[in-house]
Amino acid sequence: MEITKSQIEEINRECPYEQGIFREPWGIPVHIKEPVVYMRWETGGMTGGNCWNDATPHPYVSNDPIPKFKVLDIILRQFKPNISYLHM
């Protein structure tokens, strides 16, 4: 079974920010061209700095908890509503 564009749009409307079904989302290898189920969150990184090198970049850590992978639940509820995973 192939997922349609309208099904993808419906699923993505229900998803939280940075989750959904995307083609070539940020961080996925460029050779993968088909739609992927995707979730992204930040654990930290570098901030600051600029193109003139007059601001020093510095590391930061995000204390945000790992979000629930809600897109997976949405997809399963739509296509396999009786799967035991949803009843746990």
Side-chain angles (χ1 to χ4, degrees):
M1 171 170 84
E2 185 139 338
I3 191 167
T4 67
K5 184 178 177 185
S6 63
Q7 288 171 317
I8 290 172
E9 290 168 354
E10 180 182 334
I11 290 167
N12 286 346
R13 274 193 298 274
E14 289 186 53
C15 289
Y17 182 69
E18 299 284 12
Q19 291 189 34
I21 300 175
F22 302 101
R23 288 179 91 66
E24 301 181 55
W26 183 88
I28 298 297
V30 295
H31 68 278
I32 298 175
K33 302 295 183 192
E34 64 272 0
V36 295
V37 177
Y38 182 79
M39 179 175 73
R40 177 176 174 249
W41 75 95
E42 276 188 31
T43 58
M46 297 294 285
T47 187
N50 59 41
C51 61
W52 301 281
N53 286 332
D54 62 357
T56 305
H58 55 278
Y60 74 94
V61 175
S62 171
N63 292 322
D64 294 339
I66 297 172
K68 294 194 181 293
F69 198 19
K70 291 183 180 178
V71 63
L72 180 61
D73 293 347
I74 294 165
I75 292 167
L76 290 175
R77 204 172 39 247
Q78 182 164 344
F79 294 103
K80 295 287 185 186
N82 295 325
I83 194 167
S84 62
Y85 165 82
L86 295 174
H87 302 288
M88 298 175 133

